[in-house]
Amino acid sequence: MISCLEILNKIKWDKNLNKEDYSIYYLDNIAKKLISISFNEIKEISKNFIILEDKEIPIHRIKEIRKQGKLIWKR
């Protein structure tokens, strides 16, 4: 099975993919719900985190990746 990190890096580096088509859903421990962000909000991808403008989200908190609303990966 392909990992979340592999998919994120493929979206980032594959010139044939439109980054605007992708949404990332992560579990927010404070709100106790899934939060959606656009792939374009990601400033950096590391081995353990995705870095946004104002926060870092651990990779293990990412629960779903969707392309144009269609589920393509789920933890």
Side-chain angles (χ1 to χ4, degrees):
M1 181 175 186
I2 191 165
S3 75
C4 174
L5 192 56
E6 289 172 307
I7 292 175
L8 293 173
N9 279 312
K10 179 165 178 57
I11 297 167
K12 179 180 179 177
W13 296 107
D14 190 329
K15 303 275 189 239
N16 297 315
L17 298 178
N18 184 357
K19 292 164 186 47
E20 293 177 4
D21 289 345
Y22 295 88
S23 298
I24 312 302
Y25 291 78
Y26 70 94
L27 180 63
D28 184 300
N29 279 346
I30 295 169
K32 302 290 187 211
K33 65 179 183 176
L34 285 182
I35 305 292
S36 171
I37 60 167
S38 168
F39 188 87
N40 286 335
E41 294 180 57
I42 299 172
K43 302 298 180 201
E44 187 179 331
I45 300 169
S46 73
K47 184 178 177 184
N48 297 310
F49 295 91
I50 56 172
I51 292 107
L52 310 180
E53 188 73 36
D54 59 346
K55 69 173 103 179
E56 295 180 352
I57 299 168
I59 294 290
H60 71 268
R61 291 241 178 100
I62 297 174
K63 301 301 181 186
E64 296 179 1
I65 300 174
R66 294 179 177 261
K67 180 180 180 182
Q68 297 178 326
K70 182 181 175 192
L71 185 67
I72 61 167
W73 182 87
K74 185 172 182 168
R75 181 182 319 273

